[in-house]
Amino acid sequence: MTYERFAYVYDALMKEAPYGKWLRFFEQHAASLPGKDVLDLACGTGELSWRFAAAGWNTTGVDLSEDMLMIAQQKAVEKGLSIPVFQQDMRSLGGLGQFDAVTIFCDSLNYITEAEDVRRTFQHIQPHVKPGGLLLFDVHSLFKVHHIFKGHTFTETGEDISYIWDCFEGEQADSVEHELTFFVLDESTEQYERFDEYHVQRTFSPVQYAAWLQEAGFTDIQISADFTSEPPAEQSERIFFVCRKPVESNENEKG
């Protein structure tokens, strides 16, 4: 998933995203950490990265898309923030040192659609978490994939950007295919240019995610829903995980 041109319309698509809620959720759980180093995986255009940095966290961003990272860096510069970014695939993360907290917010993990790749992602993240540090992430619930996405269409009409977003049942179990059509105003010609995007997301049960986390060496796994401390209910839409790397983990791990 490189996003390519999608990077330049991503913020318009996500303008209603609850970034403030993600930041508050993170700070509620990370406030007691001894350090302030956070790795924002799948940082995209940096909307959460700059919020972390503005709140006093020493933030590093990682994303697979070079275009996304360029936008993230531009935002950081405009806001007078220092946020180093690296282009890496979180399925093979390496060489970044260790952090007090690692985040994968905004359902980014759902873009990893193979079970073995999710399992491998947790295993590659673990060495980058300091002993006693946290991994925090969220995913779409099974309910959301099957009852809110599948078979539904979302639209937005704006002066500069409009889109049609169709959702279909995916070929894999518990997956959804997103077909997006954008109409973007070209100011030089005053005409709208169309381009299309195709994305696939897949989720797994909370029990399965927890099993993979335990296998990777994480403990104290907390599972909640929809930015609250409440456990997931039948119609919860977003499932949150907070887990810890044990203090007794190998101090020589450098990632």
Side-chain angles (χ1 to χ4, degrees):
M1 181 63 62
T2 59
Y3 283 90
E4 299 177 349
R5 296 180 63 186
F6 185 56
Y8 300 96
V9 297
Y10 180 81
D11 285 338
L13 183 67
M14 297 291 290
K15 65 182 180 180
E16 302 298 331
Y19 293 112
K21 289 185 177 181
W22 274 302
L23 176 61
R24 287 192 294 274
F25 181 89
F26 169 76
E27 293 204 299
Q28 286 170 1
H29 291 275
S32 62
L33 292 173
K36 301 283 286 186
D37 297 328
V38 58
L39 176 62
D40 186 14
L41 288 180
C43 68
T45 62
E47 280 295 310
L48 269 175
S49 296
W50 76 254
R51 286 172 168 82
F52 289 152
W57 293 86
N58 304 317
T59 308
T60 299
V62 167
D63 201 271
L64 185 59
S65 166
E66 181 179 3
D67 292 319
M68 290 280 195
L69 292 175
M70 289 175 60
I71 295 172
Q73 277 284 271
Q74 182 180 351
K75 287 179 182 178
V77 170
E78 291 173 351
K79 296 178 183 297
L81 300 169
S82 176
I83 304 176
V85 298
F86 299 90
Q87 184 181 11
Q88 286 199 30
D89 187 330
M90 59 183 165
R91 293 171 295 185
S92 55
L93 198 66
L96 296 172
Q98 290 188 315
F99 299 83
D100 299 285
V102 176
T103 65
I104 322 172
F105 284 139
C106 198
D107 54 82
S108 297
L109 193 65
N110 290 132
Y111 282 98
I112 300 179
T113 59
E114 297 296 332
E116 179 58 28
D117 286 343
V118 179
R119 175 176 171 269
R120 186 164 64 238
T121 295
F122 292 149
Q123 293 175 339
H124 279 276
I125 289 172
Q126 199 265 11
H128 290 84
V129 182
K130 294 179 182 179
L134 299 177
L135 168 62
L136 309 91
F137 65 94
D138 66 84
V139 293
H140 292 314
S141 69
L142 291 166
F143 174 83
K144 187 172 185 179
V145 167
H146 289 285
H147 299 285
I148 295 180
F149 279 141
K150 289 181 180 178
H152 289 82
T153 297
F154 307 92
T155 62
E156 176 75 20
T157 302
E159 184 175 337
D160 298 324
I161 299 175
S162 299
Y163 65 80
I164 303 171
W165 174 4
D166 292 315
C167 303
F168 304 93
E169 182 173 2
E171 294 183 2
Q172 295 173 298
D174 304 320
S175 69
V176 60
E177 299 177 4
H178 306 283
E179 293 184 1
L180 300 103
T181 299
F182 291 91
F183 300 90
V184 181
L185 179 64
D186 184 336
E187 294 182 354
S188 64
T189 63
E190 297 186 348
Q191 294 183 340
Y192 287 88
E193 180 181 1
R194 169 180 171 167
F195 72 93
D196 300 296
E197 285 280 333
Y198 172 75
H199 295 219
V200 178
Q201 288 187 301
R202 185 184 185 188
T203 200
F204 299 89
S205 72
V207 172
Q208 180 62 82
Y209 283 114
W212 287 327
L213 290 167
Q214 290 175 332
E215 183 183 359
F218 291 101
T219 61
D220 301 330
I221 300 169
Q222 302 175 46
I223 305 174
S224 60
D226 299 330
F227 298 99
T228 73
S229 59
E230 298 298 319
E234 182 180 351
Q235 296 188 4
S236 297
E237 296 184 22
R238 190 176 291 277
I239 311 301
F240 284 79
F241 293 79
V242 180
C243 56
R244 190 175 300 275
K245 178 174 177 175
V247 175
E248 63 270 17
S249 290
N250 186 354
E251 294 285 353
N252 294 319
E253 288 177 340
K254 297 300 180 183

